[in-house]
Amino acid sequence: MCELYSKRDTLGLRKKHIGPSCKVFFASDPIKIVRAQRQYMFDENGEQYLDCINNVAHVGHCHPGVVKAALKQMELLNTNSRFLHDNIVEYAKRLSATLPEKLSVCYFTNSGSEANDLALRLARQFRGHQDVITLDHAYHGHLSSLIEISPYKFQKGKDVKKEFVHVAPTPDTYRGKYREDHADSASAYADEVKKIIEDAHNSGRKIAAFIAESMQSCGGQIIPPAGYFQKVAEYVHGAGGVFIADEVQVGFGRVGKHFWSFQMYGEDFVPDIVTMGKPMGNGHPVACVVTTKEIAEAFSSSGMEYFNTYGGNPVSCAVGLAVLDIIENEDLQGNAKRVGNYLTELLKKQKAKHTLIGDIRGIGLFIGIDLVKDHLKRTPATAEAQHIIYKMKEKRVLLSADGPHRNVLKIKPPMCFTEEDAKFMVDQLDRILTEEAMGTKTESVTSENTPCKTKMLKEAHIELLRDSTTDSKENPSRKRNGMCTDTHSLLSKRLKT
């Protein structure tokens, strides 16, 4: 595989032709990735990086089973779903078999954003209601209809919250309104939703849906307390609305114990609509909405046909079927449980060792490391988090930070992540935190402006500023290396896993 341009030229062309709001990872010093395999990514110099954040490559980057399925179907046929074809019905049957019995009707789309937009249409058509309850700091997609219900996005802009949108507190028991010492945080957070419903009704408004990720990702890797979703569903159903579970980031066995994240809250909780995306196609654009026959029939009764040119096409469905096969054949759900438990235990030991770590939360291969400046006040360590992800990049480990304060290191790697990978990642994090702690101690004895402190604040400041600016700084890089690799040898090269 040959590079078309040097890194410097690629940056220059990106600045010229790609919208300035389209950000890149590690904006101060972006990585140019030219290939990937399983849980590893490689830059133009051949440097290997451990990918701890790419939940899109669910079964592993460039998995040969996925590549083979796509190629085989592409050589035979690809067309829209108005033609009768076995792949779409086989995929719908296989997906439905992983879900509770009442969730049996599928609508295929191309992205999680499309899926969530369609879910809103289904919910609003069901009983003719309009209003939506969403969680604070939530993100559900980039379409206009979803930005309107994504406080993670709309609070950054100039638009005020729409009248039909109601924002409930995030059920965060670490930093939220009701914490782990509350007698019944699940009921307390659910009662906030109940009050929203009552206030809406008093204003003459009607609730169409409550939407939430089964585990909130952009909001900071938040896992709601047990019983919360059941109580919310009871209140929402009582108001004539439906419960939409957004599994776009967290579905397909990522939690380990269950195939879908909402299942970990108990068999007595079943959403009315489930949306899914990202991991479905392992990087291929395919997504889906699954709902009940009752809701699907109400949607059909509007008289408006639902048609999606690419949604459910034979190639997408072949890829989706391959992903399901790989999850089962390679026991990736079991791997998520085993490796996730191991990684969580390693991180808990780091929490006991490093004061910067305030909380470790997560399940399976969905884990957040909440960094704080003060354990009692739980003050978010935002600058420190940005510094750490850059230092981890230097150690060839790719992490990112998220949450309302961008202080939560999020870990959502490909599902083939191993215990060796987990230990390597944690060892690098331990070294960095140890070095920073030593630097801080030295600083307190010598000067407030040690190189360590100055560098950390400078990097963090630059990274945070880039969220609010449109220009990206070009970084000098080597000239085009001219290195070409035979495609066959590249794909067949064996990696340690």
Side-chain angles (χ1 to χ4, degrees):
M1 177 180 275
C2 300
E3 286 183 79
L4 291 176
Y5 306 102
S6 68
K7 182 176 177 180
R8 182 189 183 99
D9 290 343
T10 301
L11 280 166
L13 287 167
R14 185 180 177 98
K15 183 176 182 180
K16 181 178 180 180
H17 296 298
I18 306 300
S21 58
C22 300
K23 305 297 184 181
V24 295
F25 284 127
F26 311 105
S28 296
D29 183 24
I31 308 172
K32 184 177 183 181
I33 296 297
V34 298
R35 66 182 180 96
Q37 196 167 19
R38 293 182 65 79
Q39 62 271 50
Y40 305 110
M41 303 183 83
F42 300 84
D43 68 13
E44 77 280 14
N45 297 314
E47 292 286 350
Q48 176 178 297
Y49 293 83
L50 178 61
D51 184 359
C52 299
I53 53 176
N54 215 315
N55 61 322
V56 179
H58 193 64
V59 299
H61 290 280
C62 305
H63 193 290
V66 175
V67 174
K68 182 179 179 181
L71 178 60
K72 182 178 179 181
Q73 184 58 53
M74 287 176 85
E75 288 180 329
L76 190 63
L77 169 72
N78 199 26
T79 185
N80 67 58
S81 56
R82 281 184 167 179
F83 290 100
L84 198 61
H85 196 274
D86 287 343
N87 282 9
I88 188 171
V89 294
E90 176 64 11
Y91 193 26
K93 184 180 77 171
R94 291 276 302 275
L95 277 178
S96 297
T98 67
L99 291 157
E101 187 176 358
K102 79 171 190 175
L103 294 167
S104 60
V105 183
C106 300
Y107 296 88
F108 288 100
T109 66
N110 307 296
S111 69
S113 291
E114 280 190 16
N116 281 331
D117 176 75
L118 178 57
L120 291 182
R121 288 177 60 192
L122 288 166
R124 284 169 169 157
Q125 176 63 30
F126 184 48
R127 288 201 171 95
H129 298 179
Q130 176 71 13
D131 289 24
V132 177
I133 302 174
T134 186
L135 294 178
D136 204 4
H137 311 305
Y139 174 67
H140 294 290
H142 62 80
L143 277 69
S144 296
S145 64
L146 303 173
I147 294 296
E148 290 174 346
I149 64 164
S150 296
Y152 180 81
K153 289 291 184 183
F154 72 59
Q155 288 183 353
K156 291 183 178 181
K158 297 179 180 179
D159 294 335
V160 296
K161 182 174 68 65
K162 305 293 185 183
E163 191 178 6
F164 59 82
V165 177
H166 311 276
V167 180
T170 303
D172 178 0
T173 57
Y174 179 69
R175 182 173 279 106
K177 188 174 182 180
Y178 309 108
R179 300 186 175 183
E180 69 276 5
D181 57 353
H182 192 278
D184 187 358
S185 58
S187 294
Y189 278 117
D191 285 345
E192 296 280 347
V193 176
K194 182 181 180 182
K195 185 177 187 304
I196 285 173
I197 293 172
E198 292 171 348
D199 290 345
H201 285 178
N202 290 336
S203 300
R205 308 197 65 87
K206 295 180 179 180
I207 303 299
F210 172 91
I211 184 171
E213 289 181 279
S214 301
M215 299 187 292
Q216 200 174 28
S217 181
C218 290
Q221 311 294 87
I222 304 300
I223 301 177
Y228 170 72
F229 279 152
Q230 282 91 334
K231 292 178 184 297
V232 169
E234 178 185 343
Y235 298 146
V236 172
H237 289 155
V242 301
F243 193 112
I244 303 172
D246 181 341
E247 293 266 341
V248 171
Q249 299 249 32
V250 296
F252 291 85
R254 180 159 292 278
V255 296
K257 188 176 181 181
H258 301 284
F259 198 82
W260 302 104
S261 296
F262 72 79
Q263 292 173 319
M264 67 183 178
Y265 301 110
E267 293 182 1
D268 59 334
F269 170 64
V270 180
D272 304 292
I273 301 173
V274 175
T275 60
M276 52 193 78
K278 295 183 189 296
M280 286 184 75
N282 209 55
H284 182 89
V286 57
C288 189
V289 179
V290 186
T291 189
T292 66
K293 288 183 178 180
E294 184 183 13
I295 292 174
E297 287 170 0
F299 187 57
S300 179
S301 69
S302 70
M304 183 184 293
E305 177 190 3
Y306 173 73
F307 173 61
N308 189 313
T309 302
Y310 300 109
N313 70 75
V315 172
S316 292
C317 290
V319 167
L321 285 165
V323 169
L324 291 180
D325 287 340
I326 293 163
I327 292 172
E328 181 178 353
N329 296 338
E330 297 185 7
D331 189 27
L332 294 184
Q333 189 177 330
N335 187 67
K337 182 178 179 180
R338 290 186 297 272
V339 177
N341 288 342
Y342 176 70
L343 176 54
T344 299
E345 288 305 311
L346 292 180
L347 289 172
K348 285 180 179 177
K349 291 178 182 177
Q350 294 300 309
K351 178 187 173 184
K353 181 178 179 181
H354 299 290
T355 57
L356 194 62
I357 299 178
D359 189 37
I360 302 294
R361 53 181 176 264
I363 183 169
L365 288 175
F366 179 90
I367 299 170
I369 307 172
D370 198 313
L371 302 182
V372 297
K373 296 179 181 179
D374 184 292
H375 270 244
L376 290 177
K377 296 179 181 179
R378 303 185 180 182
T379 311
T382 301
E384 291 80 356
Q386 305 311 309
H387 175 66
I388 287 169
I389 62 175
Y390 271 86
K391 296 296 290 184
M392 289 292 280
K393 186 193 74 165
E394 291 176 10
K395 304 286 188 183
R396 303 296 184 260
V397 177
L398 303 182
L399 283 176
S400 62
D402 222 323
H405 309 285
R406 294 192 65 197
N407 69 304
V408 180
L409 304 181
K410 60 180 182 180
I411 304 170
K412 295 181 294 183
M415 296 276 280
C416 52
F417 206 69
T418 67
E419 290 187 356
E420 291 77 13
D421 296 324
K423 188 174 189 308
F424 177 76
M425 188 212 81
V426 175
D427 284 347
Q428 305 315 306
L429 180 63
D430 180 30
R431 289 191 181 98
I432 291 168
L433 292 176
T434 300
E435 290 168 1
E436 295 304 325
M438 291 177 65
T440 302
K441 288 177 182 178
T442 304
E443 169 194 325
S444 63
V445 175
T446 56
S447 167
E448 292 184 358
N449 294 311
T450 60
C452 174
K453 183 71 173 180
T454 303
K455 182 181 179 183
M456 182 179 78
L457 291 177
K458 182 179 180 181
E459 284 179 347
H461 182 65
I462 291 173
E463 179 67 15
L464 292 171
L465 278 179
R466 290 188 182 278
D467 270 356
S468 57
T469 59
T470 57
D471 292 331
S472 58
K473 181 180 178 182
E474 284 192 47
N475 293 302
S477 180
R478 63 179 186 84
K479 295 293 182 182
R480 179 173 177 174
N481 59 23
M483 180 177 66
C484 298
T485 307
D486 178 73
T487 303
H488 177 75
S489 63
L490 185 71
L491 291 175
S492 63
K493 182 178 179 182
R494 292 190 175 275
L495 302 172
K496 291 183 179 180
T497 58

